[in-house]
């Protein structure tokens, strides 16, 4: 496993933008896939976007065209640029890192950062 330190998040008006970043330390293999999940109050945690070390990405349908995930392998850091934010994007966002494309119980998780979209 690795340690994940998230930054970014906060309060933004609908239509605004925010960016998140997550720096990983530890096993390089355990960061083959990095990504973001989110959990809104009363809902289950859901995938937002993931990116492999080679740059392949996968997005939730609800964020396609609005969010962009990227990573800097040299810094072992993953980023999430969120544009055209909607109130339904409000959630705690969690950074995720893992060795395999499929999530397992061995994944590493960040502490979470709050994103609130409200006027």
């Amino acid at each position: 496993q690795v340690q994940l330190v998230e930054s970014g998040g906060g309060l933004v008006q609908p239509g605004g933008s925010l960016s998140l970043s997550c720096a990983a330390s530890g096993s390089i293999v355990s960061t083959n896939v990095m990504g973001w999940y989110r959990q809104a109050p009363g809902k289950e945690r859901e995938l937002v976007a993931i990116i492999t070390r080679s740059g392949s990405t996968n997005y939730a349908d609800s964020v396609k065209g609005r969010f962009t995930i990227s990573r800097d392998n040299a810094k072992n850091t993953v980023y999430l640029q969120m544009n055209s934010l909607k109130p339904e994007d409000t959630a705690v966002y969690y950074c995720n890192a893992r060795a395999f494309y499929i999530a397992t119980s061995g994944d590493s998780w960040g502490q979470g950062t709050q994103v609130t979209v409200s006027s």
Side-chain angles (χ1 to χ4, degrees):
Q1 289 195 336
V2 297
Q3 288 189 328
L4 301 173
V5 179
E6 301 158 346
S7 60
L11 173 64
V12 66
Q13 292 186 342
S17 298
L18 280 176
S19 62
L20 306 179
S21 64
C22 172
S25 60
S27 168
I28 294 298
V29 171
S30 296
T31 59
N32 284 342
V33 180
M34 297 185 75
W36 296 92
Y37 288 70
R38 67 186 181 187
Q39 188 167 17
K43 295 187 176 181
E44 294 187 353
R45 189 174 298 188
E46 64 177 4
L47 169 73
V48 176
I50 57 171
I51 184 168
T52 67
R53 186 172 297 280
S54 62
S56 296
T57 59
N58 185 33
Y59 292 91
D61 288 343
S62 59
V63 306
K64 283 181 181 177
R66 300 188 297 121
F67 292 11
T68 302
I69 190 169
S70 61
R71 65 185 288 171
D72 184 333
N73 290 330
K75 296 181 179 179
N76 231 12
T77 299
V78 63
Y79 307 94
L80 186 68
Q81 177 64 41
M82 304 181 290
N83 299 327
S84 302
L85 282 160
K86 304 175 181 179
E88 51 262 45
D89 294 317
T90 295
V92 177
Y93 284 67
Y94 295 91
C95 181
N96 170 275
R98 56 193 191 236
F100 308 106
Y101 194 79
I102 302 300
T104 70
S105 60
D107 291 7
S108 299
W109 293 93
Q111 77 280 5
T113 185
Q114 178 70 45
V115 171
T116 302
V117 184
S118 175
S119 55

